[in-house]
Amino acid sequence: MLTTELDAVIMRRLAADMFAPFNAVQIRVSIDGIDPPAWRRLIVPIDWNLEQLHLTIQAAFNWWNYHLHEFQIGGLRFGDAAAAYESSSGELASALVV
């Protein structure tokens, strides 16, 4: 039941946009190995690169880029932690994996 003209406008827009291509994705970012669990749900543009995603995660957790990070995608590793891992003895102390 529509109660206002605004509701009707919103419903028409939703119906019109229902089959439009996606322009954003919703992701859940969590930190492994801590209790209680810490996580954030983010909605980001679908065309962002990993650097933009990294900066968004930093802001979501109120971090200041003090820690190593990496993204693992299809077996490939991207980010500061991946570089540190490759240049070290092969041990990685901690990394944020998305």
Side-chain angles (χ1 to χ4, degrees):
M1 170 188 293
L2 299 176
T3 57
T4 67
E5 186 176 326
L6 180 59
D7 289 337
V9 169
I10 291 170
M11 291 305 292
R12 281 195 298 274
R13 281 191 184 163
L14 287 174
D17 291 339
M18 212 159 96
F19 298 105
F22 293 113
N23 62 1
V25 292
Q26 177 177 283
I27 61 173
R28 183 178 193 262
V29 180
S30 60
I31 303 172
D32 290 337
I34 65 167
D35 192 39
W39 61 274
R40 303 290 187 269
R41 180 175 294 123
L42 306 173
I43 299 174
V44 298
I46 200 164
D47 59 352
W48 271 13
N49 61 39
L50 292 178
E51 178 65 20
Q52 292 167 308
L53 180 59
H54 165 68
L55 294 173
T56 301
I57 293 169
Q58 294 284 314
F61 283 94
N62 197 28
W63 292 338
W64 295 92
N65 207 21
Y66 293 135
H67 301 285
L68 297 175
H69 71 279
E70 75 176 9
F71 295 92
Q72 293 181 5
I73 303 171
L76 299 175
R77 301 168 75 154
F78 303 90
D80 294 341
Y85 179 83
E86 291 170 2
S87 66
S88 72
S89 64
E91 293 183 21
L92 182 60
S94 64
L96 172 67
V97 179
V98 177

